[in-house]
Tab-separated table of all heavy atoms in Angstrom:
chain	number	residue	atom	x	y	z
H	1	MET	N	-64.584	9.596	-111.912
H	1	MET	CA	-64.507	11.023	-111.590
H	1	MET	C	-65.483	11.868	-112.410
H	1	MET	O	-65.557	13.080	-112.228
H	1	MET	CB	-63.084	11.543	-111.857
H	1	MET	CG	-62.024	11.003	-110.923
H	1	MET	SD	-62.265	11.566	-109.211
H	1	MET	CE	-62.717	10.007	-108.424
H	2	THR	N	-66.244	11.259	-113.302
H	2	THR	CA	-67.082	12.040	-114.221
H	2	THR	C	-68.357	12.562	-113.564
H	2	THR	O	-68.650	13.752	-113.595
H	2	THR	CB	-67.439	11.199	-115.459
H	2	THR	OG1	-66.234	10.774	-116.096
H	2	THR	CG2	-68.267	12.005	-116.442
H	3	ASP	N	-69.132	11.666	-112.953
H	3	ASP	CA	-70.403	12.056	-112.330
H	3	ASP	C	-70.139	12.460	-110.882
H	3	ASP	O	-70.305	11.673	-109.946
H	3	ASP	CB	-71.403	10.905	-112.404
H	3	ASP	CG	-72.822	11.337	-112.052
H	3	ASP	OD1	-72.977	12.410	-111.431
H	3	ASP	OD2	-73.764	10.596	-112.382
H	4	TYR	N	-69.719	13.702	-110.695
H	4	TYR	CA	-69.296	14.141	-109.364
H	4	TYR	C	-70.460	14.211	-108.378
H	4	TYR	O	-70.266	14.018	-107.174
H	4	TYR	CB	-68.588	15.499	-109.462
H	4	TYR	CG	-69.371	16.575	-110.172
H	4	TYR	CD1	-70.201	17.437	-109.481
H	4	TYR	CD2	-69.278	16.724	-111.559
H	4	TYR	CE1	-70.930	18.415	-110.142
H	4	TYR	CE2	-69.990	17.695	-112.217
H	4	TYR	CZ	-70.826	18.541	-111.509
H	4	TYR	OH	-71.549	19.498	-112.176
H	5	GLU	N	-71.675	14.471	-108.867
H	5	GLU	CA	-72.806	14.591	-107.941
H	5	GLU	C	-73.287	13.230	-107.441
H	5	GLU	O	-73.528	13.057	-106.246
H	5	GLU	CB	-73.949	15.352	-108.605
H	5	GLU	CG	-73.650	16.839	-108.804
H	5	GLU	CD	-74.889	17.632	-109.170
H	5	GLU	OE1	-75.848	17.038	-109.722
H	5	GLU	OE2	-74.899	18.858	-108.906
H	6	ASN	N	-73.425	12.251	-108.329
H	6	ASN	CA	-73.964	10.954	-107.928
H	6	ASN	C	-72.897	9.982	-107.444
H	6	ASN	O	-73.104	9.268	-106.462
H	6	ASN	CB	-74.749	10.335	-109.093
H	6	ASN	CG	-76.000	11.113	-109.420
H	6	ASN	OD1	-76.833	11.358	-108.555
H	6	ASN	ND2	-76.139	11.531	-110.669
H	7	ASP	N	-71.752	9.951	-108.116
H	7	ASP	CA	-70.715	8.991	-107.736
H	7	ASP	C	-69.797	9.517	-106.636
H	7	ASP	O	-69.296	8.738	-105.821
H	7	ASP	CB	-69.866	8.610	-108.954
H	7	ASP	CG	-70.638	7.764	-109.963
H	7	ASP	OD1	-71.715	7.250	-109.596
H	7	ASP	OD2	-70.171	7.631	-111.106
H	8	LEU	N	-69.561	10.830	-106.617
H	8	LEU	CA	-68.636	11.407	-105.653
H	8	LEU	C	-69.338	12.194	-104.560
H	8	LEU	O	-68.711	12.622	-103.592
H	8	LEU	CB	-67.612	12.305	-106.370
H	8	LEU	CG	-66.820	11.630	-107.492
H	8	LEU	CD1	-65.845	12.610	-108.131
H	8	LEU	CD2	-66.079	10.399	-106.968
H	9	ASP	N	-70.627	12.428	-104.723
H	9	ASP	CA	-71.478	12.985	-103.666
H	9	ASP	C	-71.142	14.435	-103.319
H	9	ASP	O	-71.201	14.825	-102.159
H	9	ASP	CB	-71.399	12.110	-102.414
H	9	ASP	CG	-72.544	12.384	-101.444
H	9	ASP	OD1	-73.645	12.717	-101.905
H	9	ASP	OD2	-72.327	12.277	-100.211
H	10	TYR	N	-70.764	15.253	-104.293
H	10	TYR	CA	-70.595	16.670	-104.001
H	10	TYR	C	-71.120	17.503	-105.164
H	10	TYR	O	-71.265	17.030	-106.295
H	10	TYR	CB	-69.129	17.022	-103.704
H	10	TYR	CG	-68.187	17.040	-104.896
H	10	TYR	CD1	-68.062	18.174	-105.698
H	10	TYR	CD2	-67.391	15.936	-105.208
H	10	TYR	CE1	-67.184	18.203	-106.779
H	10	TYR	CE2	-66.513	15.965	-106.287
H	10	TYR	CZ	-66.421	17.104	-107.074
H	10	TYR	OH	-65.552	17.135	-108.139
H	11	THR	N	-71.421	18.754	-104.863
H	11	THR	CA	-71.825	19.707	-105.891
H	11	THR	C	-71.221	21.060	-105.538
H	11	THR	O	-70.631	21.227	-104.478
H	11	THR	CB	-73.360	19.810	-105.994
H	11	THR	OG1	-73.711	20.547	-107.172
H	11	THR	CG2	-73.956	20.498	-104.769
H	12	TYR	N	-71.389	22.022	-106.445
H	12	TYR	CA	-70.835	23.350	-106.218
H	12	TYR	C	-71.931	24.378	-106.007
H	12	TYR	O	-72.958	24.375	-106.695
H	12	TYR	CB	-69.959	23.776	-107.409
H	12	TYR	CG	-68.598	23.140	-107.382
H	12	TYR	CD1	-68.286	22.066	-108.220
H	12	TYR	CD2	-67.611	23.585	-106.509
H	12	TYR	CE1	-67.029	21.470	-108.191
H	12	TYR	CE2	-66.360	23.001	-106.464
H	12	TYR	CZ	-66.072	21.944	-107.304
H	12	TYR	OH	-64.839	21.355	-107.257
H	13	HIS	N	-71.691	25.242	-105.049
H	13	HIS	CA	-72.530	26.402	-104.822
H	13	HIS	C	-72.271	27.405	-105.949
H	13	HIS	O	-71.349	27.235	-106.743
H	13	HIS	CB	-72.194	27.008	-103.450
H	13	HIS	CG	-73.183	28.019	-102.960
H	13	HIS	ND1	-72.866	29.355	-102.825
H	13	HIS	CD2	-74.474	27.898	-102.558
H	13	HIS	CE1	-73.910	30.002	-102.352
H	13	HIS	NE2	-74.899	29.153	-102.182
H	14	LEU	N	-73.059	28.461	-105.999
H	14	LEU	CA	-72.965	29.453	-107.060
H	14	LEU	C	-71.582	30.089	-107.122
H	14	LEU	O	-70.993	30.443	-106.097
H	14	LEU	CB	-74.011	30.543	-106.825
H	14	LEU	CG	-74.314	31.476	-107.997
H	14	LEU	CD1	-74.980	30.698	-109.128
H	14	LEU	CD2	-75.220	32.613	-107.526
H	15	GLY	N	-71.055	30.220	-108.351
H	15	GLY	CA	-69.759	30.865	-108.574
H	15	GLY	C	-69.829	31.810	-109.758
H	15	GLY	O	-70.845	31.878	-110.469
H	16	SER	N	-68.751	32.533	-109.992
H	16	SER	CA	-68.746	33.604	-110.987
H	16	SER	C	-68.930	33.121	-112.413
H	16	SER	O	-69.289	33.915	-113.293
H	16	SER	CB	-67.441	34.402	-110.883
H	16	SER	OG	-66.318	33.555	-111.107
H	17	LEU	N	-68.683	31.842	-112.689
H	17	LEU	CA	-68.835	31.335	-114.051
H	17	LEU	C	-70.148	30.601	-114.285
H	17	LEU	O	-70.366	30.056	-115.366
H	17	LEU	CB	-67.654	30.432	-114.414
H	17	LEU	CG	-66.332	31.169	-114.629
H	17	LEU	CD1	-65.216	30.196	-114.967
H	17	LEU	CD2	-66.454	32.229	-115.711
H	18	ASP	N	-71.029	30.591	-113.287
H	18	ASP	CA	-72.367	30.067	-113.524
H	18	ASP	C	-73.060	30.965	-114.549
H	18	ASP	O	-72.845	32.183	-114.565
H	18	ASP	CB	-73.158	30.025	-112.226
H	18	ASP	CG	-72.792	28.836	-111.372
H	18	ASP	OD1	-71.754	28.900	-110.676
H	18	ASP	OD2	-73.516	27.830	-111.416
H	19	PRO	N	-73.901	30.387	-115.423
H	19	PRO	CA	-74.500	31.170	-116.512
H	19	PRO	C	-75.205	32.440	-116.058
H	19	PRO	O	-75.152	33.468	-116.747
H	19	PRO	CB	-75.480	30.171	-117.150
H	19	PRO	CG	-74.871	28.843	-116.877
H	19	PRO	CD	-74.230	28.963	-115.518
H	20	THR	N	-75.853	32.416	-114.896
H	20	THR	CA	-76.589	33.596	-114.440
H	20	THR	C	-75.669	34.756	-114.097
H	20	THR	O	-76.072	35.915	-114.152
H	20	THR	CB	-77.439	33.254	-113.204
H	20	THR	OG1	-76.582	32.671	-112.198
H	20	THR	CG2	-78.535	32.276	-113.562
H	21	LEU	N	-74.419	34.469	-113.734
H	21	LEU	CA	-73.457	35.523	-113.406
H	21	LEU	C	-72.500	35.797	-114.560
H	21	LEU	O	-72.009	36.912	-114.708
H	21	LEU	CB	-72.648	35.129	-112.166
H	21	LEU	CG	-73.449	34.931	-110.872
H	21	LEU	CD1	-72.510	34.527	-109.746
H	21	LEU	CD2	-74.187	36.200	-110.497
H	22	ARG	N	-72.275	34.785	-115.379
H	22	ARG	CA	-71.292	34.913	-116.447
H	22	ARG	C	-71.759	35.864	-117.534
H	22	ARG	O	-70.958	36.404	-118.288
H	22	ARG	CB	-71.006	33.538	-117.047
H	22	ARG	CG	-69.757	33.493	-117.894
H	22	ARG	CD	-69.364	32.063	-118.198
H	22	ARG	NE	-70.232	31.421	-119.152
H	22	ARG	CZ	-70.900	30.294	-118.933
H	22	ARG	NH1	-70.833	29.693	-117.765
H	22	ARG	NH2	-71.652	29.757	-119.876
H	23	SER	N	-73.059	36.130	-117.626
H	23	SER	CA	-73.574	36.992	-118.670
H	23	SER	C	-72.997	38.403	-118.584
H	23	SER	O	-72.943	39.127	-119.571
H	23	SER	CB	-75.106	37.064	-118.589
H	23	SER	OG	-75.501	37.590	-117.322
H	24	THR	N	-72.545	38.789	-117.390
H	24	THR	CA	-71.988	40.129	-117.224
H	24	THR	C	-70.536	40.217	-117.675
H	24	THR	O	-69.983	41.304	-117.767
H	24	THR	CB	-72.077	40.565	-115.755
H	24	THR	OG1	-71.285	39.668	-114.953
H	24	THR	CG2	-73.510	40.549	-115.272
H	25	ILE	N	-69.912	39.064	-117.967
H	25	ILE	CA	-68.517	39.065	-118.402
H	25	ILE	C	-68.370	38.218	-119.664
H	25	ILE	O	-67.452	37.450	-119.815
H	25	ILE	CB	-67.582	38.548	-117.282
H	25	ILE	CG1	-68.081	37.213	-116.705
H	25	ILE	CG2	-67.427	39.563	-116.195
H	25	ILE	CD1	-67.154	36.613	-115.675
């Protein structure tokens, strides 16, 4: 369950806690 992108084949789209958005909070 650790390498979700390579072993589980999914990733996440942009969310509020991504560094580019989190700087405002």
Side-chain angles (χ1 to χ4, degrees):
M1 292 294 112
T2 302
D3 192 342
Y4 54 92
E5 290 193 335
N6 293 306
D7 290 345
L8 304 180
D9 197 32
Y10 73 85
T11 191
Y12 282 103
H13 193 247
L14 195 66
S16 60
L17 288 179
D18 281 80
T20 54
L21 298 179
R22 195 167 73 237
S23 60
T24 62
I25 50 176

